[in-house]
């Protein structure tokens, strides 16, 4: 018997992401400037710094998959997102299965790009820093292979928005709680690159629904 799926409404969560350490989500260096960064942060075509919704959504999804045993390692040692597509799987219901042919219901979560919020008297350059890194020669004890990473500075704020499509009130309430659980897991992990070296600690603040 076919199942009828009707949109009952939308829950919109907004707030701010505050960086508690430097944050690096990599972009593309179109030109290499003298004294510039080897690895700049991502910007849109107008030069605005942002956190891609795909980065935020993907990190929350992966943390929930690991926590709940949905993270699969193939015989080749490759990590695969959950692809079961089952209606009792909160990962597939929230984010969608890994492959489109497994979709049985529309996914619930829409995660927008989060743009850096500027103070009135500041510009983008005041929210960015260049962090030098290198490799230490284990024998000589000297630095080698220097590289320069661009980061968003500690204390910066991004405005985010997450939209949940509601198709089943009672079940979808549980999915929303599961997503918020993923947000809490992310606060104890890291966003972007080089997290094991201290980058990417964030805090969700001023949450409104």
């Amino acid at each position: 018997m076919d199942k009828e799926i009707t949109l009952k409404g939308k829950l919109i969560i907004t707030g701010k992401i505050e960086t508690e350490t430097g944050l690096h989500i990599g972009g593309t260096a179109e030109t290499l400037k003298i004294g510039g960064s080897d690895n700049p942060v991502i910007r849109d075509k107008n030069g605005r710094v942002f956190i891609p919704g795909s980065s935020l959504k993907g990190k929350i999804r992966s943390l929930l998959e690991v926590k709940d045993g949905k993270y699969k390692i193939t015989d080749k040692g490759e990590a695969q997102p959950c692809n079961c597509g089952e209606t009792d799987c909160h990962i597939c219901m929230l984010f969608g299965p890994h492959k489109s042919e497994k979709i049985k219901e529309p996914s619930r979560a829409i995660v927008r790009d989060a743009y850096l919020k500027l103070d009135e008297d500041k510009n983008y350059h005041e929210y960015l820093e260049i962090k030098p890194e290198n490799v230490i020669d284990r024998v000589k004890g000297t630095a080698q292979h220097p590289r320069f990473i661009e980061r968003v500075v500690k204390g910066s704020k991004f405005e985010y928005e997450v939209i949940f499509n509601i198709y089943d009130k009672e079940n979808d309430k549980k999915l929303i709680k599961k997503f918020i659980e993923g947000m809490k897991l992310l606060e104890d992990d890291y966003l972007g690159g080089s997290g094991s070296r201290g980058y990417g600690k964030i805090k969700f603040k001023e949450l409104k629904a």
Side-chain angles (χ1 to χ4, degrees):
M1 183 176 178
D2 293 338
K3 180 179 179 180
E4 183 178 296
I5 298 176
T6 305
L7 181 67
K8 303 293 195 303
K10 290 176 179 279
L11 176 69
I12 301 174
I13 291 180
T14 61
K16 292 184 174 64
I17 297 171
E18 182 172 340
T19 59
E20 297 196 333
T21 64
L23 171 71
H24 175 81
I25 297 177
T28 302
E30 295 182 356
T31 59
L32 184 62
K33 298 179 181 179
I34 296 173
S37 169
D38 301 323
N39 197 346
V41 299
I42 191 168
R43 297 170 170 82
D44 68 10
K45 68 174 185 177
N46 297 314
R48 296 180 298 174
V49 178
F50 70 104
I51 297 171
S54 56
S55 296
L56 191 57
K57 183 178 181 181
K59 185 67 179 191
I60 290 173
R61 175 182 181 137
S62 66
L63 289 170
L64 286 172
E65 286 175 335
V66 171
K67 177 183 179 295
D68 296 336
K70 295 283 186 175
Y71 196 70
K72 306 298 183 184
I73 305 296
T74 67
D75 294 337
K76 296 180 180 179
E78 299 172 343
Q80 294 291 335
C82 184
N83 191 44
C84 70
E86 298 300 327
T87 56
D88 60 350
C89 171
H90 60 265
I91 297 294
C92 290
M93 290 298 97
L94 268 174
F95 307 106
H98 181 47
K99 296 182 179 179
S100 60
E101 65 268 18
K102 292 282 189 175
I103 294 174
K104 295 180 180 178
E105 288 191 16
S107 59
R108 270 53 172 180
I110 300 170
V111 184
R112 306 285 194 206
D113 292 342
Y115 278 86
L116 179 64
K117 180 175 174 57
L118 300 180
D119 293 332
E120 291 183 2
D121 58 340
K122 292 185 177 182
N123 57 47
Y124 278 104
H125 297 294
E126 296 178 77
Y127 291 88
L128 300 172
E129 63 185 2
I130 303 295
K131 183 177 182 294
E133 296 186 350
N134 53 61
V135 175
I136 302 299
D137 186 303
R138 269 45 173 185
V139 177
K140 298 178 181 178
T142 57
Q144 54 185 354
H145 309 307
R147 56 189 180 273
F148 300 91
I149 311 297
E150 187 175 48
R151 308 194 309 177
V152 180
V153 299
K154 175 183 177 181
S156 301
K157 293 181 180 179
F158 294 80
E159 295 180 313
Y160 73 89
E161 179 182 79
V162 181
I163 299 171
F164 296 94
N165 291 322
I166 308 298
Y167 299 101
D168 182 322
K169 276 188 167 183
E170 292 307 313
N171 287 333
D172 288 354
K173 282 181 183 178
K174 298 175 184 177
L175 293 177
I176 292 164
K177 289 180 179 178
K178 181 59 70 171
F179 188 92
I180 293 173
E181 180 184 340
M183 292 169 67
K184 293 178 179 178
L185 289 172
L186 178 50
E187 288 183 333
D188 292 330
D189 204 90
Y190 64 89
L191 182 63
S194 303
S196 63
R197 300 200 297 273
Y199 293 41
K201 183 178 182 182
I202 59 123
K203 191 80 174 176
F204 291 98
K205 293 190 172 182
E206 301 178 35
L207 186 148
K208 297 178 182 178

